[in-house]
């Protein structure tokens, strides 16, 4: 079956339902096609569902815009980062040689990678825009390995639906559906503007998700967990963001 007409059909259905009988009807339709985000219930649930479902149907495989090196912002803006704590400082003093990225959950080969291993993996680069929901943004060059490469190496199982990622800052955690996790521009980034990732920007290791708002690009990542359900994580809304009133899906 050719998926495109079907996708058009469903999207048209969603739009018509939203127009004719409100968001709740559109959400019911989205549910039927398995296009409900983890924060798709509750007060803002129908709106979140419509956004997510429409994006997934319309912008599949779309790439975030890439810029030329001449467009890189100087100096790039960095959000102020809270003090990172003793464990981080110890790792930093040792040049991050002991920094590891754990990979677990629904993978054939759970384990961990050192920073050096991650740096030895095939390098991707992109000049993209990072936008904070609070209004500031900048363009930078990011280098790193595709998240998809790490997921393939680890043998992510076919039942996988989401990847949860955590930071050494334990209150920052996020997740992506497999479409964004396997997206070619989604990187485990260790470099920025031609140098190692600076600490204020998330060094030594940061997830970079250029198709979503800045808060999905979590800094200081320490683990990836592959799962088929987000129910067991935090309040079950998919990440820390919806617990603070932000959307789980922050597509731009
Ligand atoms: N670990 C961690 N990751 C984080 C944050 C943070 O405070 N801690 N802030 C997030 C938010 S809200 C944004 S907008 C971006 C900001 O990235 P920047 O400092 O490169 O501008 O990082 C995101 N990742
Ligand atoms: Mo942000």
């Amino acid at each position: 079956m050719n998926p495109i007409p079907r996708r058009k059909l469903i999207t048209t259905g969603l739009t018509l339902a939203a127009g004719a009988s409100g968001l709740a009807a559109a959400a019911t339709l989205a549910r039927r096609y398995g296009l409900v985000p983890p924060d798709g219930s509750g007060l803002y649930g129908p709106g979140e569902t419509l956004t997510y479902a429409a994006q997934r149907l319309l912008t599949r495989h779309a790439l975030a815009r890439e810029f030329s090196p001449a467009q890189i912002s100087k100096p790039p803006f960095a959000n102020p980062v809270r003090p990172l704590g003793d464990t981080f400082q110890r790792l930093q003093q040792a040049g991050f040689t002991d920094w590891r990225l754990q990979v677990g959950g629904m993978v054939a080969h759970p384990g961990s990678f050192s920073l050096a291993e991650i740096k030895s993996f095939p390098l991707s680069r992109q000049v993209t825009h990072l936008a904070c929901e609070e209004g500031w943004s900048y363009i930078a060059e990011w280098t790193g390995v595709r998240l998809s490469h790490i997921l393939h190496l680890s043998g992510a199982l076919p039942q996988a639906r989401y990847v949860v990622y955590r930071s050494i800052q334990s209150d920052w955690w996020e997740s992506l559906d497999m479409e964004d996790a396997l997206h070619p521009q989604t990187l485990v980034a260790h470099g920025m503007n031609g140098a190692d990732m600076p600490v204020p920007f998330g060094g030594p290791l940061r997830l970079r998700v250029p198709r979503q708002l800045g808060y999905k690009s979590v800094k200081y990542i320490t683990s990836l967990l592959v799962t088929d359900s987000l129910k067991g994580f935090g309040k079950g809304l998919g990440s820390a963001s919806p617990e603070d009133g932000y959307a789980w899906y922050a597509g731009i």
Side-chain angles (χ1 to χ4, degrees):
M1 183 180 71
N2 183 344
I4 293 166
R6 179 174 174 265
R7 216 175 286 149
K8 267 205 189 117
L9 205 70
I10 304 171
T11 314
T12 309
L14 283 171
T15 314
L16 287 177
S21 40
L23 288 173
T28 304
L29 205 53
R31 202 164 296 127
R32 197 184 304 159
Y33 295 104
L35 292 168
V36 178
D39 57 347
S41 55
L43 189 54
Y44 300 108
E48 294 306 339
T49 299
L50 188 62
T51 305
Y52 178 66
Q55 285 274 340
R56 276 297 166 262
L57 293 163
L58 291 173
T59 67
R60 240 184 164 166
H61 308 304
L63 292 176
R65 180 176 171 198
E66 301 209 10
F67 297 82
S68 77
Q71 290 171 290
I72 291 173
S73 311
K74 305 179 187 77
F77 186 85
N79 273 334
V81 174
R82 285 175 286 126
L84 284 156
D86 293 346
T87 309
F88 185 90
Q89 262 159 31
R90 265 200 308 280
L91 289 160
Q92 185 175 19
Q93 273 153 20
F96 296 123
T97 47
D98 296 325
W99 192 278
R100 298 194 79 83
L101 182 68
Q102 310 280 337
V103 186
M106 292 185 142
V107 290
H109 320 292
S112 69
F113 298 103
S114 69
L115 186 59
E117 283 173 302
I118 289 171
K119 286 184 172 177
S120 76
F121 292 155
L123 200 65
S124 283
R125 49 180 93 243
Q126 50 168 272
V127 179
T128 51
H129 187 248
L130 186 147
C132 172
E133 74 295 345
E134 289 179 32
W136 56 75
S137 69
Y138 64 88
I139 292 168
E141 183 204 50
W142 314 83
T143 48
V145 57
R146 286 179 177 162
L147 177 59
S148 66
H149 184 78
I150 292 184
L151 294 173
H152 288 138
L153 277 183
S154 305
L157 302 178
Q159 310 92 287
R161 290 193 61 200
Y162 304 99
V163 177
V164 175
Y165 43 107
R166 296 178 192 279
S167 167
I168 203 163
Q169 293 182 306
S170 57
D171 54 342
W172 276 94
W173 63 281
E174 272 295 343
S175 66
L176 296 175
D177 64 9
M178 292 316 281
E179 182 169 334
D180 269 336
L182 298 175
H183 189 275
Q185 289 173 311
T186 300
L187 303 185
V188 171
H190 50 73
M192 189 179 170
N193 295 340
D196 281 345
M197 183 75 70
V199 168
F201 289 95
L205 222 50
R206 172 180 200 175
L207 212 84
R208 180 69 187 116
V209 190
R211 290 210 309 177
Q212 297 200 40
L213 285 174
Y215 61 81
K216 302 295 278 193
S217 292
V218 172
K219 304 173 179 185
Y220 324 112
I221 55 166
T222 51
S223 72
L224 306 175
L225 201 136
V226 179
T227 180
D228 63 350
S229 167
L230 294 168
K231 292 220 165 70
F233 298 89
K235 296 183 181 166
L237 300 176
S239 65
S241 310
E243 296 178 10
D244 288 336
Y246 297 101
W248 170 77
Y249 182 73
I252 40 182

